[in-house]
Amino acid sequence: MGHPKPPPRRRAAAGAFAALLLVALVSGTGARAAPSPSPSPSTPRLDPRITEIMSKPEYRHAQWGLLQTEPDDGRVLHSLFPGQFFIPGSTAKLFPVSGTWQTLGADHRFVTPLYEVGKRSGETLIGDLDLVAQGDLTLGGRTRPDGTVAYTDLDHTYANDFPGATLTPENPLAGIDQLARQVRDSGITGVDGDVIVDNRLFAPDPVLDPTPTPLIINDNLIDLLTTPGDRAGAAARLDWRPKVAPYEVTSTVKTVAAGGPTNVTVTATDGGTRIRLSGTIAAGAAPLLRTSPVTDPAAFGRTALIEALARAGVEVTSPATGPNPAARLPRDYDGRPRVAAYTSPPYEQYAKLILKVSHNLGANLDICLLAVTTGSHQCADGFPVLAGFLDRAGVDRRQVELMDGRGGNPADRATPRAVVRMLAYWQGTPDARRFREALPILGVDGLLAENCRDCAARGKVFAKTGAAVGGDALNDRLSVGAITIAGYLDKGGGRFDTFYAGVTGASTASADPAGILAIANDLALIAAHLQESPP
């Protein structure tokens, strides 16, 4: 039975806060405790370390949710308001990733073909090369030699929001370069025509923010890396990627004395193709990463492919820069020779990327990919597919409200019971271990890498984190819509309890983001204490 599709404009409701995945969480301990919350009389008493956290002054006006269940029979071990709606933040990603994994399959690979549309005259194609985008999330830009997808614990997609984001070493144009080499290997050395990106797989839906596109190169971002000069007063060094025309990057960033302010501003003009960095960076500071958006991914991809073809020894007569001439595309490619194709890693690897680093674009892309499985070009048609999956998984979808895939829409809601049920579903599947290990691991990797590195629970909590945070201008502090964590607790002997913990309505003492990091760390500590408690 299908899920009714929400009216498109209703999904465009503006939000007062953004859903952010908190990163680089610091370890900490509880502060002075207020009166402890009372456990349900039907469940064991909570670890006193947990009640101490929940009773901190920051949570005086907040509401906690908690649920822990045994894997075999679903028996409830701890429960606080399991049927109440909470803002999920990025724990919402568990739903679309699960739906896409089970709809496409863990081993599904995206094959992006390149067709010749025309006729060959010797080594010259008289006509066009059409790259048919297939919704490949990385197009080889993160693929390691062993076929796995590379990620860093703080992804470059968060570089403008949080300090410490880093790049993977892989070439973001790797897939495009491979396609170009295949064209040359097919015997083509010249194209008397054009190169066109066929972007018709689905229509970009601006309600999904960030907005997925059928062709994605480097997450539709330009990476900008500033390194301090050798001494105060020297110009900072700049590197950027991927270098594709007509994008140009300049910098006036200056190096200041060690300990001085690091403050780099990025401005973009001419449709995003002229990028300028200004400001200061402290001597001896670590390189600072910023990003700027690619505003026309299809045109960007077309130029990138024409330039890659030139590097491979294939000359194209059309200018490399300019708009993507989509009006020249044929109705279909029946009978057209396929001269190249890029095959992605399996979807499981993309799921791991989305979950480990909380990849917002990838989670929203999952909604569009689900729509494509029905033959639709409208991303919103992915929600009924997800609804059908949740029905089959035994998740009461009346306890889930989603307007996107990333957990960033102000309307997104989920109950602890629905989230835990989603997690419990996986334990009865052949991919249970693969899914569990795709989640961040406490003290080991992903967005939990820096938490609890010295505690007994290190490596024994597999969980997705999430947050929705906004400003409180009235009180000059930060308002916490919610901070959540959900996943699995390794209790030993092959037993993995499912759990959810979340708080809504907390506040920080000031506008310093460190207060948010402390709250997020409290959630990680709660997960650790649940794992450490006797089974």
Side-chain angles (χ1 to χ4, degrees):
M1 188 165 88
H3 181 55
K5 182 171 66 176
R9 291 309 100 201
R10 180 167 65 87
R11 295 195 298 118
F17 51 80
L20 301 177
L21 217 307
L22 293 172
V23 294
L25 308 180
V26 295
S27 295
T29 58
R32 184 177 57 222
S36 300
S38 300
S40 166
S42 61
T43 58
R45 183 173 295 276
L46 280 171
D47 187 311
R49 295 174 296 177
I50 295 176
T51 56
E52 181 180 4
I53 290 173
M54 291 180 172
S55 301
K56 286 183 179 182
E58 324 51 328
Y59 309 125
R60 183 177 296 111
H61 306 295
Q63 176 66 66
W64 284 93
L66 182 71
L67 186 60
Q68 178 186 354
T69 65
E70 287 189 349
D72 293 336
D73 56 7
R75 184 172 74 91
V76 174
L77 298 177
H78 294 107
S79 176
L80 292 173
F81 302 100
Q84 180 172 307
F85 270 132
F86 287 83
I87 298 167
S90 285
T91 54
K93 292 179 172 71
L94 293 167
F95 296 108
V97 170
S98 297
T100 306
W101 184 314
Q102 291 294 345
T103 300
L104 298 181
D107 298 318
H108 175 83
R109 296 174 186 263
F110 301 88
V111 179
T112 302
L114 187 64
Y115 290 97
E116 59 178 74
V117 180
K119 294 183 179 180
R120 292 198 197 189
S121 175
E123 293 184 336
T124 299
L125 171 63
I126 311 299
D128 300 331
L129 285 175
D130 291 0
L131 178 64
V132 185
Q134 295 295 307
D136 186 330
L137 179 57
T138 72
L139 201 63
R142 293 179 184 253
T143 305
R144 299 184 182 103
D146 64 0
T148 59
V149 169
Y151 61 88
T152 60
D153 292 330
L154 181 47
D155 192 62
H156 78 140
T157 55
Y158 284 101
N160 292 349
D161 300 311
F162 302 101
T166 54
L167 295 170
T168 62
E170 286 71 27
N171 175 12
L173 297 176
I176 294 294
D177 284 340
Q178 186 180 123
L179 287 165
R181 290 192 296 269
Q182 289 181 38
V183 172
R184 179 63 184 85
D185 291 344
S186 76
I188 296 175
T189 60
V191 177
D192 187 3
D194 214 328
V195 171
I196 310 173
V197 172
D198 188 334
N199 230 21
R200 295 178 291 188
L201 184 69
F202 57 80
D205 186 344
V207 174
L208 300 175
D209 180 22
T211 302
T213 51
L215 182 71
I216 297 171
I217 297 174
N218 200 44
D219 300 312
N220 293 339
L221 295 173
I222 302 294
D223 294 318
L224 312 161
L225 191 65
T226 299
T227 303
D230 296 330
R231 55 180 174 77
R237 292 186 288 272
L238 169 70
D239 193 12
W240 62 282
R241 70 178 203 183
K243 292 181 172 67
V244 173
Y247 283 75
E248 294 181 1
V249 182
T250 59
S251 173
T252 60
V253 177
K254 294 293 185 182
T255 307
V256 297
T262 293
N263 186 10
V264 175
T265 299
V266 178
T267 57
T269 57
D270 292 346
T273 63
R274 298 295 180 268
I275 302 169
R276 181 174 181 269
L277 285 74
S278 59
T280 59
I281 187 168
L288 180 70
L289 181 64
R290 292 284 185 265
T291 63
S292 188
V294 171
T295 56
D296 188 341
F300 184 85
R302 172 185 174 272
T303 298
L305 182 52
I306 292 175
E307 293 178 342
L309 287 165
R311 292 192 294 271
V314 180
E315 181 181 356
V316 179
T317 58
S318 293
T321 59
N324 182 53
R328 293 168 61 102
L329 292 170
R331 184 171 64 89
D332 57 48
Y333 296 94
D334 290 347
R336 312 278 188 185
R338 190 176 85 170
V339 295
Y342 179 78
T343 301
S344 77
Y347 177 78
E348 175 199 4
Q349 286 294 312
Y350 286 169
K352 179 179 289 189
L353 171 65
I354 295 168
L355 295 172
K356 292 286 190 185
V357 310
S358 202
H359 198 284
N360 290 324
L361 180 64
N364 280 343
L365 176 64
D366 277 345
I367 300 297
C368 301
L369 295 175
L370 289 173
V372 169
T373 66
T374 71
S376 173
H377 302 288
Q378 304 303 315
C379 291
D381 289 335
F383 287 103
V385 182
L386 179 56
F389 162 72
L390 294 180
D391 289 344
R392 295 189 298 275
V395 178
D396 181 1
R397 55 186 167 90
R398 294 169 299 179
Q399 298 187 43
V400 183
E401 297 177 346
L402 292 179
M403 294 293 206
D404 64 5
R406 61 170 280 206
N409 192 292
D412 293 345
R413 298 289 187 275
T415 68
R417 185 176 290 126
V419 175
V420 166
R421 177 62 197 130
M422 182 75 268
L423 294 163
Y425 158 82
W426 278 100
Q427 301 201 96
T429 72
D431 288 338
R433 180 187 59 81
R434 297 168 75 179
F435 180 79
R436 182 174 64 249
E437 294 179 356
L439 296 167
I441 303 173
L442 187 68
V444 176
D445 67 12
L447 291 177
L448 288 173
E450 297 304 317
N451 289 88
C452 228
R453 294 182 67 87
D454 297 320
C455 68
R458 183 176 188 264
K460 299 177 182 178
V461 176
F462 305 76
K464 185 75 194 72
T465 59
V469 178
D472 177 9
L474 179 66
N475 297 292
D476 190 27
R477 62 184 182 180
L478 296 175
S479 172
V480 178
I483 295 182
T484 55
I485 185 169
Y488 302 96
L489 307 168
D490 183 352
K491 304 295 283 188
R495 168 180 162 178
F496 293 90
D497 288 2
T498 49
F499 83 99
Y500 166 100
V503 63
T504 185
S507 303
T508 61
S510 70
D512 186 345
I516 296 296
L517 298 180
I519 294 173
N521 187 67
D522 280 348
L523 271 294
L525 287 173
I526 287 174
H529 298 332
L530 289 173
Q531 189 281 325
E532 293 164 357
S533 298

